[in-house]
Amino acid sequence: MSINLLQLAQTTLGGQVVQLASTHFGIDASKAKAVFETLTPSLIASLLKKADTPDGARALYASIMSHKVDANIGANLASLLDNPVSAGNLIKAGGEQAVALLGDKAQDQLTNVVAQHTGTAVGAVTAMTGVVTATLFGLIKNHLQTSKGQQHTLISTLAHQVSFIQGKVPESVWAALGAGTAWEFFDGIGNKLKTALSAFHVELPPAAHTGVNPVSKEKTGIGKWWWLLALLALAALLFFLRSCNKEPASASTPATASEASTASAVLSKEPTLSLTTDKDGKAAVVATVGSEMDKSAILEDLKKNYGDAVNADIKVDAATKPAGWIGELPDLLTSLKLSNAELTIKGNNIEIGGAATDPKLQLLDKTKALFGAGYAVSLFDLSEAMASSKKKFEDALAALKPGSCTTADVVSAMNTYSFNFSSGSFDIPKEDVLEFGRAATAIKDCAKDAKLEIGGHTDNQGTSAVNMELSQKRADAVRDFFVSKGIAAATFTTKAYGDSQPIGDNDIASGRFKNRRIEFSEQK
């Protein structure tokens, strides 16, 4: 499977991204669009040039597979640019990637030429070069992870882009890239990529060596047909490259965005990992990844960090995307080798909880630095979440004024409170008994003739049937509590919802906390 990188990048860098770039860089949307449309094929040409030697291909592969490259940038770019902090991180990381690709001198030459070509300030073009480079690196990384490709896959993927960028790069750019002219670049790139590929023990079959040799335009007098010769040579190269990737040996057809989307749609699930340690530091891990290779890597990392003090349940689901965070997992696990720690990873979202939220550990900043701008890292401390809920509840009750408050006011206030039921229990915790007793007075003052439904909700831990029963018992326990406070039983009805109406992500601790709730509503 190959991709049309130019088309995918232009789709990613279009629409809302153009508007955000226009605002962020202080230029007209038309100029932002022109800069993106000029930089994208130019930087793809730079990728081809970088990969036309074995050492260049190895260095490029290492840069693209770095943890700082966001493999999901196709989905994340607009949100990254919409936030000043994440936009700054993206531009910085992309700028470093551009220097690794072009070198300082060529980068300056390219930005100056593009600035002149589009009539845009050099500073804006320099920053946008970082955005485009980060986008291209991310799209290629996603493709390599999906196809489980190595260096030779990178070369063949880039070779497939030659026909897509022909005629798309301004002539002035070729000199800035150190490629001479367009004719010189396209005339030689096929053989260079073929040579680079052979260094990875992928050899051309004898028949494929019968290419069209470059012929001087001056000697033949048919210079106007150079492009046809180049295309014939490219067709032979692409035929070989597709064979190396074990694709059908048929006529090469450019991959469309819809084909790439169809392939990506098969991998519809995010890789997840949930880790908790007990008071003795023993770890329990549940994870879902897309391949046995990812599973083996995680098991090896857990073994190195926890030894035999780990219980791991790792499932392989073919519909799951590659886990781009595996490379950084060993360093993160080292920081989590402590008692009562929690870690949840889902796709590019990382949540740290329990004892690991101790400010002294500085794990939030360390993890952000480790994984880079492409990941959203947060902390979740249950005690802090409960304290925040309690404060909101107390403030809401204090705002209720007897004589003017309504049933809706009471319901709204009570729904700010989070009951901290123990796992599998329907006994109201002591701290909730003391705190929620204040709500009985509010009901008597503001909703004495009301009919209230008490709905019980759970997270998705356990079976749906068990959760439905548990949520009913919890709702009944809250009703019985209010009746014990002198409110008529006829005021309340109870209903079990189990895990059927989540308001948070059940794959992370903070989401499960939101889902384990008692929800009040007025019955008309």
Side-chain angles (χ1 to χ4, degrees):
M1 180 187 74
S2 192
I3 57 173
N4 183 336
L5 183 59
L6 178 64
Q7 189 174 59
L8 291 177
Q10 287 176 333
T11 299
T12 302
L13 294 162
Q16 184 186 5
V17 169
V18 170
Q19 298 300 322
L20 290 169
S22 170
T23 302
H24 191 85
F25 300 116
I27 58 177
D28 293 339
S30 60
K31 286 190 175 181
K33 185 173 185 292
V35 171
F36 281 148
E37 289 180 345
T38 305
L39 282 173
T40 302
S42 300
L43 288 168
I44 292 175
S46 299
L47 290 165
L48 281 158
K49 187 172 181 294
K50 182 78 171 181
D52 69 8
T53 66
D55 287 344
R58 291 187 183 95
L60 183 59
Y61 180 84
S63 296
I64 289 172
M65 300 308 290
S66 164
H67 70 271
K68 294 183 178 180
V69 175
D70 180 6
N72 294 316
I73 198 165
N76 295 339
L77 184 57
S79 60
L80 291 173
L81 286 176
D82 199 28
N83 181 293
V85 176
S86 61
N89 291 336
L90 171 68
I91 293 167
K92 180 181 178 182
E96 293 171 353
Q97 292 157 13
V99 170
L101 173 62
L102 299 163
D104 288 315
K105 183 178 178 181
Q107 184 191 27
D108 291 342
Q109 292 174 337
L110 175 63
T111 54
N112 287 332
V113 167
V114 173
Q116 185 176 8
H117 180 76
T118 60
T120 307
V122 172
V125 175
T126 300
M128 294 173 74
T129 301
V131 173
V132 177
T133 305
T135 299
L136 292 172
F137 274 34
L139 293 173
I140 296 172
K141 182 177 182 178
N142 184 286
H143 173 65
L144 293 176
Q145 287 181 337
T146 301
S147 61
K148 297 180 173 59
Q150 301 297 320
Q151 286 95 332
H152 74 276
T153 312
L154 172 62
I155 298 173
S156 63
T157 297
L158 291 175
H160 193 78
Q161 312 310 312
V162 175
S163 61
F164 302 140
I165 64 171
Q166 284 185 324
K168 300 293 196 306
V169 180
E171 193 63 37
S172 58
V173 169
W174 293 110
L177 296 177
T181 66
W183 187 89
E184 291 171 329
F185 177 83
F186 289 113
D187 182 59
I189 193 63
N191 283 332
K192 290 179 179 178
L193 291 171
K194 179 178 67 177
T195 301
L197 197 63
S198 67
F200 298 96
H201 308 292
V202 181
E203 299 292 342
L204 284 170
H209 286 283
T210 314
V212 178
N213 294 322
V215 181
S216 168
K217 293 187 287 185
E218 289 74 18
K219 290 182 179 179
T220 63
I222 58 170
K224 64 181 179 179
W225 297 107
W226 69 268
W227 59 270
L228 180 59
L229 300 179
L231 284 177
L232 289 172
L234 174 66
L237 174 64
L238 290 179
F239 178 86
F240 157 68
L241 293 175
R242 290 173 66 86
S243 299
C244 290
N245 281 323
K246 299 183 180 180
E247 295 184 3
S250 58
S252 177
T253 303
T256 65
S258 61
E259 289 172 340
S261 298
T262 300
S264 298
V266 176
L267 302 177
S268 58
K269 300 177 182 178
E270 296 289 355
T272 62
L273 181 144
S274 176
L275 179 148
T276 58
T277 59
D278 62 17
K279 61 182 178 63
D280 298 318
K282 184 175 182 179
V285 177
V286 177
T288 300
V289 292
S291 68
E292 290 291 342
M293 182 172 63
D294 284 356
K295 176 180 178 178
S296 297
I298 294 173
L299 288 172
E300 182 178 351
D301 292 339
L302 292 172
K303 183 71 173 178
K304 288 179 180 178
N305 198 66
Y306 296 102
D308 294 330
V310 61
N311 180 23
D313 177 13
I314 303 177
K315 296 181 174 62
V316 175
D317 183 343
T320 302
K321 300 174 185 177
W325 35 262
I326 282 182
E328 284 62 58
L329 188 60
D331 290 334
L332 181 57
L333 290 177
T334 300
S335 300
L336 290 168
K337 197 172 182 180
L338 65 161
S339 303
N340 300 316
E342 297 175 5
L343 168 69
T344 304
I345 305 178
K346 182 178 182 181
N348 280 27
N349 294 289
I350 301 172
E351 184 177 270
I352 297 168
T357 61
D358 186 341
K360 296 178 182 177
L361 298 175
Q362 298 182 328
L363 276 185
L364 181 64
D365 292 338
K366 290 179 181 178
T367 306
K368 286 182 177 180
L370 177 64
F371 284 83
Y375 286 79
V377 184
S378 60
L379 300 179
F380 175 70
D381 186 293
L382 178 60
S383 61
E384 286 188 7
M386 288 300 301
S388 175
S389 166
K390 177 181 176 181
K391 179 66 167 57
K392 290 179 181 178
F393 176 66
E394 291 175 346
D395 289 345
L397 287 184
L400 297 177
K401 304 301 180 185
S404 62
C405 56
T406 66
T407 301
D409 294 331
V410 175
V411 168
S412 177
M414 291 194 300
N415 283 338
T416 63
Y417 193 74
S418 300
F419 281 85
N420 188 27
F421 288 102
S422 299
S423 179
S425 171
F426 56 88
D427 293 328
I428 298 178
K430 292 181 180 179
E431 62 270 22
D432 291 333
V433 169
L434 295 173
E435 188 67 30
F436 213 71
R438 304 179 185 185
T441 301
I443 293 174
K444 293 174 183 177
D445 290 341
C446 307
K448 59 183 178 180
D449 296 322
K451 298 295 183 182
L452 301 176
E453 179 187 281
I454 304 173
H457 299 261
T458 70
D459 58 31
N460 69 344
Q461 305 299 292
T463 66
S464 294
V466 169
N467 288 335
M468 190 66 74
E469 181 182 0
L470 181 60
S471 65
Q472 182 65 59
K473 289 181 177 178
R474 287 177 174 174
D476 290 344
V478 173
R479 176 202 59 199
D480 294 344
F481 167 76
F482 282 125
V483 170
S484 74
K485 297 297 180 181
I487 301 176
T491 302
F492 306 104
T493 59
T494 61
K495 187 171 181 178
Y497 292 93
D499 56 18
S500 66
Q501 296 185 3
I503 58 174
D505 187 344
N506 274 310
D507 288 330
I508 58 178
S510 59
R512 292 192 294 273
F513 172 74
K514 293 176 182 177
N515 294 335
R516 296 190 300 267
R517 68 194 190 277
I518 294 294
E519 199 166 88
F520 298 85
S521 60
E522 182 179 3
Q523 302 299 294
K524 301 295 185 180

